[in-house]
Amino acid sequence: MGDRELPVILGGPILRRVDEGQAFIWIALSKPFSIQAEVCEVTRNGPPAGFDYTDIGCSTETRTVRAGKHVYISLIRVSPSSGTFPVDTLIGYNLRFTGKRGETLDLGDLGLLTSSHPESIVYGYLALPTFTINGGTKSKILYGSCRKLHGKGKDVFLKADQVITEDPAGSERPSSLFLMGDQIYADDVADSLILPIMKLGEELTGCKEDLGSVEPRLNHPSFQKGLNQINGRQYISDTFCRFTSRKAANHLFTLGEYMAMYLLSWSPELWKMPLSYGLFESFHDLAEVDEVYFACKDRSSKEYKREYKRLQKRYHEQLVEVSNTVQALSAVRRVLANTPTYMMFDDHDITDDWNLSHEWKVNVWNAPLGRHVISNGLASYWLFQGWGNEPDSFNLFGKMMQAHLDSIQPGSSAHTQWVNGLWRHDSWHFTAPTHPAAVFLDIRTQRGYDVEPKSVTLFGRMEEVPKSPNLIKEAAWDKIIATLGASGWRQGEPLIMVSPTPLYGIGLIETFLQKYMLPLHTIGIPVHTSFDLEAWKYNGKGFNECIQRLSALKPSDCIILSGDLHSASAVTSDITFYEDKRSFTIHQFTSSPIKNMSYTGIWGSVMKFMMWMNARKRTNRSIQRGCDGECNLLLGQRKDGKHSDYIWSESIRYRALNDGSLIETGNNLGVFTYDSGEIRSSLM
């Protein structure tokens, strides 16, 4: 490592799956340690600063994956020695680390348990990080998506941290956190971060991942140069990976780079070494080095001067936003250490447009580099997110992962099994033991594709375009329903469905894209990749399947929590099925982005105005829509002689948010509350 000494804790601790019988804690370390957890019941004793800590006898089982020379990722299972954990009670924990030479330290020795310390992971007068297990009483769940390191606006984790700070031992404290996609942006990386991420990735893994052995064309000097420069990867991403992201100039490629991005996004630790990794280099210093910045190099040309000014402006804007995120990272880590957290991927966790269409999936699979990078993205997702959601469902996964990580030799049997295992895995979905119970949908790897084209009208002519995907195919629904049943959930109980993409989107935008943008495919415009035509409503068969599956479950209350759209909204839909006269109500709440405001500038103002006008028309009004026998979603009520072939119809109402508006476009985090059948949601 030379003169650089990595911090012991690289990321975490993060509280993951928690129920009455066990709690899981995730942590990433730079050295191998044996880890034991200590758990206690925390009760008030007198004044605000007074707490008693009563030990809860527990057993600890630690599973560790060596993801690189200097990164050890552990998932610690803590179980009561007898009985169960107390519910609706504050529970504290500490972690004790024992090194190979017998040296021991705990979270306090690492400076994380001193409340006055800016990087402390404890709240107020509490001596330990804490959590509660909901016993079926009032439940409060934070939910959101889309958090980019250089995204615009303040990180809303700061508000979540403040809410817990104000009453860390109170009943209003959030009991869970749902992160519903785009926890990182693998394709859209800030200019100021890609070089530090490359360096960190190599140091964490202890090697430089040989992408040239995956795609031999990368061994050409010009492509080697592009790989190691700022803004040098767009052509490689487009041509060798067959990706379709328009912001892939700094796309993450190696496993080390993906891991570095997670650690920089969730923890302040590696940011303490800015000089070692060049985390805050000036644009001028980088631009002066010919081999660093990928741009026009004829410095006397007008093109170079224009490009210089453009890149300089972008670099500085991104650097300001990255700096703002860094200032929030202690709060981010504190929230994650004190709140049971469940995570599901969306496209940017891997790459933009991931599995957008059948053609996309085939093209990337047939591109060796694309196939390998997707595998790196999925491997890092499992290590940093997926593993902690439902650990027992991945008992065999760790062995396959470790076999590859021990060698990382493309073309080897371990590498082939690793790639095939990740691409074929069909159980990323999971249930969370919250109240109400929650089922998280994988809408990326379990899609159904209709290869038959769809007919549209363009300039008075009938043309054919690709159909939008069914976000969850029928066989995948069968597995989801089976998983839900195995979790102990039963008909007649309330249910939360977490869908990264909302079932009910922003109607104005979705309708405009479907009606006016989709036909442009016929004249060669790549509308599917340019406009993300993958909402639930774009595939009537898939939308109907979702409605039918949810209604067949017969939950007492059906709640959908979603993100993705870079806006927040609340929708209620009352559905009537005509064959058996059933009725069914869905409550959907959408929250996004956590840190990535999109509706800025002139076009952002125009879009917000259009959404406001659209929302104003919908105030105190219901939208009537139905599904006919061919699964077409049609506006209008069912009447004699009109829409008489509806199999079901729905009345959709957009609900007012905190400030009375119907749509929020600023950074936000949802707060869902369920109390004896009363359903509420607000925004931070």
Side-chain angles (χ1 to χ4, degrees), residues 12 58 93 95 150 181 189 221-222 263 270 315 365 373 397 408 429 481 486 508 551 585 599 651 669:
C58 288
Y93 71 91
L95 298 178
H150 63 286
V189 179
S222 62
L263 295 172
L270 292 176
Y315 187 95
W365 172 259
V373 172
F397 220 77
I408 309 186
H429 67 276
I481 302 304
L508 170 72
S551 65
T585 298
Y599 300 110
S651 177
L669 189 65

Side-chain angles (χ1 to χ4, degrees), residues 9 27 31 62 71 77 99 127 167 223 258 459 517 532 580 599 626:
I9 295 181
I27 197 164
K31 300 175 182 178
T62 301
V71 55
R77 182 205 301 261
D167 192 11
F223 295 128
Y258 274 92
F459 307 131
M517 294 294 103
D532 290 346
D580 55 11
Y599 300 110

Side-chain angles (χ1 to χ4, degrees), residues 602-675:
I602 296 175
W603 288 111
S605 299
V606 171
M607 183 61 71
K608 283 193 285 188
F609 177 75
M610 290 172 64
M611 288 192 294
W612 177 81
M613 288 294 292
N614 187 58
R616 187 180 180 188
K617 294 178 182 179
R618 294 179 175 182
T619 303
N620 300 321
R621 287 181 53 192
S622 295
I623 301 169
Q624 307 300 322
R625 186 171 68 179
C627 178
D628 67 15
E630 295 182 354
C631 295
N632 296 307
L633 301 179
L634 304 170
L635 292 176
Q637 293 179 311
R638 172 172 168 160
K639 300 177 181 178
D640 290 339
K642 182 179 181 181
H643 301 320
S644 57
D645 59 343
Y646 277 180
I647 57 177
W648 54 260
S649 64
E650 60 182 340
S651 177
I652 305 168
R653 300 184 306 282
Y654 284 76
R655 302 294 192 180
L657 302 175
N658 300 21
D659 60 357
S661 66
L662 297 187
I663 291 179
E664 170 59 56
T665 58
N667 291 338
N668 64 88
L669 189 65
V671 185
F672 170 75
T673 304
Y674 190 86
D675 187 4

Side-chain angles (χ1 to χ4, degrees), residues 403-463:
H404 167 70
L405 294 171
D406 285 343
S407 61
I408 309 186
Q409 293 181 347
S412 67
S413 60
H415 178 264
T416 300
Q417 290 176 12
W418 173 75
V419 169
N420 290 336
L422 288 166
W423 276 73
R424 294 172 182 171
H425 187 66
D426 61 359
S427 297
W428 294 113
H429 67 276
F430 65 94
T431 60
T434 52
H435 179 72
V439 57
F440 284 66
L441 304 183
D442 164 14
I443 63 166
R444 285 288 161 185
T445 75
Q446 296 305 298
R447 296 183 166 196
Y449 304 103
D450 191 339
V451 295
E452 292 295 323
K454 174 182 179 180
S455 296
V456 299
T457 301
L458 179 66
F459 307 131
R461 295 171 53 192
M462 188 69 72
E463 302 284 356

Side-chain angles (χ1 to χ4, degrees), residues 202-223:
E202 291 178 17
E203 181 149 0
L204 291 170
T205 58
C207 67
K208 187 177 181 67
E209 192 170 317
D210 184 11
L211 297 178
S213 64
V214 177
E215 172 51 77
R217 288 176 291 179
L218 286 178
N219 293 317
H220 191 282
S222 62
F223 295 128

Side-chain angles (χ1 to χ4, degrees), residues 539-550:
N539 188 295
K541 181 180 178 181
F543 191 98
N544 176 59
E545 181 77 13
C546 182
I547 294 293
Q548 297 286 357
R549 294 281 187 162
L550 285 176

Side-chain angles (χ1 to χ4, degrees), residues 176-404:
S176 300
L177 169 64
F178 292 174
L179 297 177
M180 305 178 298
D182 300 344
Q183 278 67 261
I184 64 168
Y185 279 68
D187 58 302
D188 187 357
V189 179
D191 290 355
S192 63
L193 288 180
I194 187 59
L195 294 183
I197 284 174
M198 290 180 199
K199 294 177 185 177
L200 276 167
E202 291 178 17
E203 181 149 0
L204 291 170
T205 58
C207 67
K208 187 177 181 67
E209 192 170 317
D210 184 11
L211 297 178
S213 64
V214 177
E215 172 51 77
R217 288 176 291 179
L218 286 178
N219 293 317
H220 191 282
S222 62
F223 295 128
Q224 280 294 310
K225 184 178 180 180
L227 269 177
N228 296 290
Q229 289 180 316
I230 300 172
N231 286 336
R233 297 184 171 188
Q234 186 71 54
Y235 181 85
I236 296 171
S237 175
D238 295 346
T239 307
F240 298 157
C241 295
R242 298 300 302 275
F243 295 161
T244 51
S245 172
R246 291 163 292 165
K247 296 182 178 181
N250 298 316
H251 202 302
L252 306 179
F253 284 163
T254 71
L255 180 61
E257 290 167 4
Y258 274 92
M259 292 194 297
M261 175 61 88
Y262 276 110
L263 295 172
L264 291 172
S265 298
W266 289 353
S267 172
E269 293 295 337
L270 292 176
W271 292 96
K272 297 176 184 177
M273 308 169 69
L275 297 180
S276 297
Y277 301 106
L279 285 167
F280 293 105
E281 292 278 358
S282 73
F283 175 83
H284 177 77
D285 290 343
L286 290 171
E288 289 301 307
V289 180
D290 285 343
E291 299 303 313
V292 171
Y293 225 106
F294 194 79
C296 173
K297 295 303 180 183
D298 182 1
R299 302 194 176 199
S300 62
S301 68
K302 291 181 180 180
E303 180 187 357
Y304 175 81
K305 293 176 182 178
R306 285 195 301 269
E307 183 75 349
Y308 187 96
K309 288 182 179 179
R310 184 185 70 83
L311 292 173
Q312 183 181 43
K313 181 176 183 292
R314 185 176 73 180
Y315 187 95
H316 288 159
E317 289 175 348
Q318 292 178 347
L319 191 59
V320 168
E321 296 298 346
V322 169
S323 300
N324 291 336
T325 302
V326 173
Q327 294 175 30
L329 284 177
S330 292
V332 172
R333 177 161 69 171
R334 193 157 43 244
V335 171
L336 295 175
N338 288 269
T339 314
T341 302
Y342 303 88
M343 312 181 192
M344 175 51 74
F345 52 52
D346 203 1
D347 55 345
H348 290 286
D349 295 280
I350 311 297
T351 186
D352 191 18
D353 298 333
W354 179 32
N355 290 344
L356 177 66
S357 65
H358 177 72
E359 180 184 17
W360 192 101
K361 192 172 184 178
V362 169
N363 287 342
V364 174
W365 172 259
N366 289 331
L369 185 62
R371 185 165 66 240
H372 179 78
V373 172
I374 295 295
S375 301
N376 278 334
L378 279 169
S380 65
Y381 167 78
W382 178 76
L383 287 166
F384 286 79
Q385 299 192 60
W387 190 12
N389 289 325
E390 202 164 26
D392 290 340
S393 67
F394 291 105
N395 287 334
L396 298 178
F397 220 77
K399 294 180 180 179
M400 176 193 73
M401 194 72 67
Q402 194 64 71
H404 167 70

